[in-house]
Amino acid sequence: MQSRRNFLKLSAGAAVGSLAATLSGTVQANTCGEINWDETVDVIVVGSGFAGLSAALNARRKDVGSVLLLEKMQVIGGNSAINGGWLAIPKNPIQLAQGVNDDSPEELVKDQIISGRGMHNEASLRLIANRALDAYHLCIDTGVKFRDGFNIQVGGHNKARAIRTQHGTGGDITTKLYEAGVKEGVDYRLQHYIEDFIMDGQKIIGVKVRKHYRFPDLKTGSSVFIKANKAVILANGGFARNMALREIVDPSLDPTLDCTNALGATGEVTLTAMAYGALPVHMNLIQTGHWGSPDEGGFGWSNALLSIGWHQGVAINVLNGKRFMDERADRKTCSEAIMKNRNADGSPAYPVVLFNYNNYANDDRVVRALRDKMAWKLDSLDAIATQFDIPVAELSRSIVEYNQHVRERKDPLFNRKMDTAEVLTGPFVVSRIWPKVHYCMGGLKTDLGARVIDGRSMEPIKNLYAIGEVTGGTHGEARLSSTSCLECLAMGIVVAETIKADLQGAV
Amino acid sequence: MNTLLLSTLLSLAVSGSVMAGDLVKMKGSTQGRVNHEFIYQDGCQTCHQGSGKKNATDAACVECHGDINSITVDESKLAIPEAHPHKSLHYNQGASCLACHGEHEKKAPVCTECHRTWFEVM
């Protein structure tokens, strides 16, 4: 932690030491120029996911001056580059062409209020939903391609309003926003790690950055100081990869859980902001996906594969060959049930999910899962029992019993809704499951203009803005699928407008 | 100097089949790529901007190899066509050479963080 005054003492002592010794409070503002800045820009954006890329591009378009985007990793795009590429847009053209005419931003907000369970910020959700079409056009204008005619209803939404990028990855959006930014004058730097903020009282005036940093080694690279004349925008994402922080804010989160996020989602910039007074909210609200596979990294294919598995198939405990949960219950219920599957030493005994192969042989969810060896095609229950070390008699008994329940369309064991369940005959598609940490609903408190709120004064920290997953309080208890991309893109537009307005107000 | 580098590279491109170059002991305990041997004879400055202690940047790679678009990849060796490391759906132009390539150590490309079966350590 380094206030400007400390900075003068510690870092620039040789250059301005005698001056610093004679500083009085009244002349502080005039001495900023004495700091030995390596570089000066108008706007610094931290992070290069949807939020950072949108903010940087829109800041350029709002003519607020030079824009420098700092990314600590060796690639542009952060967690957004590997996400699923879903985007909830009420009144999008594909939706209208499908004849879904009764959707609106307000309908989206209604769905989010239900999943927020009283912990959401309704005004913030409404602000974002009202900018959804702007976010969509930002994508179209920069060359993003969405799937032709594809618009579906995803979990927790009451309307079909989720469109998806051509290749089913957020990279389709991040690469285009990045390329547009290059053309329009955004200066991007990889391997720049934010070590500290440089504050002048309750105003941020720059950042200390480790340049040429190589994740995750903090000894790599060297420190430089970059001044931000007008704004610092935090768009550094969530902290789902910060195991220590995760465990502190939610001790019930199992340390064996992997994470769907890119490796850089470690949240140190969020912690630095908090150290300077930024108010954290809902830090303990962390979403897990119960659809993770231990046989692939990050987000992977498992989520898509199990959209078949949960409906048409069955989940089995490998230790006793038995079913153990309602496969169609919500994320939290299933995650908790799955994590009870343990070996004697406490290590995960990954359950298996199996469903019939023949009906889905050409389904791309199955094709790519088998191709990438995170699921296997096995002809018989014997083969499954052998491969996953499951007691074969128990497994066979469980499947016979399950098939009877499928025929009766009734699940006396777990009360699962059996309308989509299929009698399992083999050959089978089999995958292993274990939940993964997915999304941080909590983060920094901001106002509707994306200004970061200081918890001591409840006023904005001057020139400090935050958007995207680094912020907290918007979604409440749980975030709905396809709403994070929307939030990040929309708030990138909003924050540029706020900065413009704040600058005009300051004149 | 650049002409020399270019001609050396061209001859390697014709004769060699290894893309990134095998990793061998170069100087003292430092390992390096066989196709970069001539750089080691020159000292470290070519890549390390005047000092071996300074981290190399993409600029050094691009000076000899050209930018990412001008480097050919043998597409017949890809696990699937979409797994083209120089035309990544996730990063495209937005990746540092160093995200996937290491000069002094074997390194797994950034794709292996999720797609564990598509690429090998190189």
Side-chain angles (χ1 to χ4, degrees), chain A residues 72 193-194 213 236 238-239 242 264-273:
Chain A
K72 75 175 170 187
Y193 174 93
I194 306 294
Y213 162 76
N236 53 289
F239 57 88
N242 186 329
T266 45
E268 62 281 342
V269 179
T270 312
L271 295 171
T272 304

Side-chain angles (χ1 to χ4, degrees), chain A residues 74 76 81 169 179 212 371-372, chain B residues 55 90 92 94 96 98-99 118:
Chain A
Q74 291 176 324
I76 293 284
T169 169
E179 283 152 25
H212 299 324
R371 178 196 70 203
D372 294 342
Chain B
N55 288 340
H90 302 290
N92 199 24
S96 160
L98 306 169
W118 290 359

